[in-house]
Amino acid sequence: MAECVFCQIVVGAIPAKILYEDDQVIAFDDMNPQARVHVLVIPKRHMASLAEAQDSDVSVLGQLMVVCSKMAQERGIAEDGYRVVANTGRGAGQTVFHLHLHVLGGRSFEWPPG
Ligand code: AMP
Ligand code: ZN
């Protein structure tokens, strides 16, 4: 989608600090980090949010989670613990409508989340 900022990152039209790429998924640093480590993991194919998930998406959705785990290992937050967040819909705070998982770590977190 031409007007989607994350689709633009996928094709390299908008710069990002790309940390990982395979045929289905890319990961890059969030431009406005909310923790010492704040990585976004996204499908290359545009999906607006988790609300659009179909049975046929099981492979890419699984790969997103595996890459979150890889990123946490690589950035050194796996041992202390980290949070994976998928804001889904405006009411949950989603602002970019291309599915993305936030991987957050390197600080303490509260529960329930705000
Ligand atoms: P959400 O509020 O869950 O939709 O999260 C969107 C995230 O995308 C925010 O944390 C933004 O800081 C981040 N973001 C938006 N545009 C960019 C960009 N061009 N490069 C990196 N991160 C971005
Ligand atoms: Zn998109």
Side-chain angles (χ1 to χ4, degrees), residues 47-89:
M47 291 175 63
S49 80
L50 205 53
E52 290 189 353
Q54 305 290 319
D55 290 344
S56 57
D57 298 319
V58 66
S59 167
V60 67
L61 293 174
Q63 183 64 359
L64 288 172
M65 298 301 278
V66 170
V67 173
C68 287
S69 176
K70 282 186 202 297
M71 293 299 98
Q73 288 286 349
E74 277 185 18
R75 299 300 281 269
I77 56 173
E79 191 172 334
D80 281 352
Y82 59 95
R83 193 166 281 183
V84 176
V85 175
N87 294 324
T88 305

Side-chain angles (χ1 to χ4, degrees), residues 5-6 9 14-16 28-34 38 40 86-87 93-97 100 102:
V5 62
F6 286 178
I9 288 174
I14 291 178
F28 51 94
D29 278 327
D30 195 293
M31 65 168 9
N32 183 24
Q34 300 302 310
H38 188 171
L40 299 175
N87 294 324
Q94 186 175 2
T95 59
V96 175
F97 286 84
H100 51 282
H102 299 258

Side-chain angles (χ1 to χ4, degrees), residues 103-114:
V103 182
L104 297 147
R107 66 166 170 86
S108 60
F109 295 94
E110 295 183 354
W111 194 263

Side-chain angles (χ1 to χ4, degrees), residues 1 4-8 43-47 97-99:
M1 292 184 77
C4 171
V5 62
F6 286 178
C7 284
Q8 298 289 303
K44 286 183 165 176
R45 179 171 55 82
H46 183 89
M47 291 175 63
F97 286 84
H98 180 128
L99 174 62

